[in-house]
């Protein structure tokens, strides 16, 4: 299925501190692999093959870890908040062209 999915992953994850002070929440291990890997697997099983990750602080770490998504069977694109956090609506609006 070529319908893209937006994954909001740009928050500060304050409720998970201190774990998220140096690692974005989607990279925190759950059952031996990053939380995002579980999400991508669930999408792939449902036939989703494209996802846009809306990223904020530490987002570069996610790009380094997941790259183009080929290893997870989902094509990944990235949309960054930039220096100012955009919130849910702003992040989705910025990701629309992707």
């Amino acid at each position: 299925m070529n319908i893209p999915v937006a994954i909001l992953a740009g928050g500060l994850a304050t409720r998970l501190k201190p774990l998220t002070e140096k690692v974005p929440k989607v990279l925190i291990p759950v059952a031996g692999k990053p939380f995002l890997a579980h999400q991508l697997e669930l999408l792939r099983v449902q036939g989703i093959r494209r996802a846009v990750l809306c990223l904020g602080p530490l987002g570069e770490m996610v790009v380094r870890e997941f790259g183009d998504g080929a290893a997870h069977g989902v094509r990944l694109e990235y949309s960054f908040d930039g220096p100012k956090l955009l919130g849910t609506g702003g992040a989705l609006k910025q990701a629309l062209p992707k």
Side-chain angles (χ1 to χ4, degrees):
M1 195 178 318
N2 201 26
I3 299 170
V5 169
I7 298 176
L8 299 170
L12 297 174
T14 55
R15 290 180 295 248
L16 290 175
K17 286 190 180 199
L19 294 174
T20 55
E21 288 175 347
K22 295 182 181 176
V23 177
K25 63 184 167 188
V26 295
L27 294 183
I28 299 293
V30 176
K33 58 186 176 181
F35 178 66
L36 180 59
H38 294 281
Q39 291 178 303
L40 296 178
E41 182 179 335
L42 290 170
L43 290 173
R44 186 182 50 73
V45 167
Q46 294 301 315
I48 302 295
R49 298 291 181 255
R50 288 180 59 212
V52 176
L53 291 170
C54 299
L55 300 172
L58 306 175
E60 298 81 16
M61 293 176 73
V62 178
V63 176
R64 280 195 304 272
E65 179 76 23
F66 284 88
D68 65 3
H72 298 276
V74 177
R75 188 179 76 181
L76 294 177
E77 294 183 68
Y78 301 94
S79 178
F80 288 88
D81 273 358
K84 181 180 176 187
L85 294 181
L86 301 174
T88 301
L92 288 173
K93 184 177 180 182
Q94 186 156 316
L96 279 175
K98 297 181 181 271

